[in-house]
């Protein structure tokens, strides 16, 4: 397992990416979905993205005052 640290620039890039993805997901209509990607999955993804964005926002807000690192779950 490796440890990774993110710079402020990394975090703001991640934040922007999550915001863009959330915006795209919020435009998906139920009629756009099918059995491969259901509307329930879209709503679940929106919730997950919102949770991630909230965490990234917190990291950015507290950047420099909190030392953190992210553990990779991939081996």
């Amino acid at each position: 397992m490796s440890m990774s640290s993110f710079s402020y620039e990394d975090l703001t890039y991640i934040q922007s990416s999550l915001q863009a993805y959330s915006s795209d997901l919020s435009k998906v209509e139920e009629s756009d979905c099918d059995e491969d990607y259901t509307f329930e999955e879209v709503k679940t993804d929106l919730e997950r993205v919102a949770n991630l964005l909230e965490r990234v926002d917190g990291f950015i807000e507290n950047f420099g005052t909190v030392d953190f690192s992210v553990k990779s779950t991939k081996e």
Side-chain angles (χ1 to χ4, degrees):
M1 211 176 327
S2 67
M3 298 287 278
S4 300
S5 295
F6 292 102
S7 68
Y8 186 84
E9 183 179 73
D10 293 335
L11 291 171
T12 58
Y13 180 84
I14 292 167
Q15 180 187 47
S16 295
S17 298
L18 288 170
Q19 288 169 339
Y21 185 50
S22 178
S23 175
D24 288 346
L25 281 176
S26 68
K27 296 173 188 169
V28 174
E29 301 287 332
E30 192 165 1
S31 61
D32 297 329
C33 300
D34 58 24
E35 64 274 353
D36 291 329
Y37 193 49
T38 67
F39 194 62
E40 286 300 314
E41 290 172 311
V42 172
K43 292 193 296 187
T44 298
D45 286 352
L46 268 169
E47 289 175 20
R48 288 180 179 157
V49 169
N51 289 335
L52 288 169
L53 188 54
E54 186 177 317
R55 292 194 64 162
V56 170
D57 288 346
F59 287 145
I60 290 170
E61 185 177 310
N62 296 308
F63 193 82
T65 61
V66 176
D67 185 27
F68 68 92
S69 61
V70 178
K71 294 181 185 177
S72 174
T73 57
K74 296 181 181 179
E75 295 189 29

